[in-house]
Amino acid sequence: MSVSLVDHSALIHVFNDYLAMRTTRAGTISPDDRKVHVTQSVSTIFQFRAIDWGMENCELHLAVPPMDRPTTLALYRLNATVPVDISTLSFNVRPPRVAKLDNIVLGQDSLNWHRKLSCVTDDVLVFELACSEDEPSGNCDIEWWQAHKDTAPAVYMIQRSTV
């Protein structure tokens, strides 16, 4: 799984993982935690790979704690059949949107949204979490650090058996 940011107001800007880098006695490390950030211009790209044979039922999950003010996000499926190189990913080169999966309203209650998808071994599944077009300007600003193993707040994929 990988997480990366793109900015439609800075079309060729590539976000690096420098935001999470920390200096230790052993040198600079870049942990598995990745920043999820959604604003009017910044969206977050999530990339998953279906790796288990016979586990061709996938579920995409979005789990978010309560928010101070309601915000509507849009979740898109992107057209990618090979892994996206996040070291060169910018808005200009991100895969095109092929489907809007849902408008997701974050509010005063915790949210555990999910959608079932079919996936076969070695499928690359890429999604974009962005502000909804219906969201008033300036109202959309969501941010969290997604830890590799945490399930909230998080966007994650679960594979289930086809039998």
Side-chain angles (χ1 to χ4, degrees), residues 14-35:
V14 175
F15 287 86
N16 294 313
D17 62 356
Y18 63 86
L19 296 171
M21 285 183 179
R22 291 170 183 55
T23 303
T24 67
R25 288 184 185 185
T28 302
I29 60 168
S30 184
D32 287 338
D33 297 2
R34 295 292 181 249
K35 187 175 191 175

Side-chain angles (χ1 to χ4, degrees), residues 5 30 45 76 83-84 149 158:
L5 306 176
S30 184
I45 308 292
Y76 299 93
V84 174
K149 304 262 185 210
I158 296 175

Side-chain angles (χ1 to χ4, degrees), residues 1-4 34 44-49 84-86 89 125 127 146:
M1 182 194 128
S2 65
V3 178
S4 188
R34 295 292 181 249
T44 302
I45 308 292
F46 297 89
Q47 177 173 234
F48 302 94
R49 173 166 252 161
V84 174
D85 181 359
I86 62 170
L89 182 64
L125 304 153
F127 305 92
Q146 179 157 328

